[in-house]
Amino acid sequence: MGGLVVTLDVTLLLGVWIFLRLRRRTEARSRKDERETVLIVTVFGILLAPTEFGKWVVNTLTAMVSSVNGMHL
């Protein structure tokens, strides 16, 4: 259970870091900065996926997509 706590702490810090990076104006970013942001977001997703919250997000999105696919317009 200790590994889960560490994962949540790192995930929370990465989430805050992503939020602060994305608040800046787009034209002020370089290509290197864009690549770093993509790398950080990818690591964030990998750390978030095995947690209970990550599983809840996947299940919720799956249910939403299934309901949209089931609609006949």
Side-chain angles (χ1 to χ4, degrees), residues 5 7-8 13 15 17 25 27 29 38-40 46-47 49-50 70:
V5 174
T7 302
L8 289 175
L13 289 175
W17 190 11
R25 293 193 335 237
E27 58 269 3
R29 296 183 189 152
V38 169
L39 178 66
I40 293 166
I46 291 169
L47 290 174

Side-chain angles (χ1 to χ4, degrees), residues 1 4 9-10 13-14 20 22-23 26-27 31-32 35 38-39 41 45 47 50-52 58 63 66 72:
M1 189 70 176
L4 179 61
D9 292 341
V10 172
L13 289 175
L14 277 176
L20 292 175
L22 294 179
R23 285 186 42 192
T26 303
E27 58 269 3
R31 286 187 185 264
K32 179 180 176 262
R35 282 189 216 120
V38 169
L39 178 66
V41 170
L47 290 174
T51 63
E52 288 300 319
V58 169
S66 296
H72 298 288

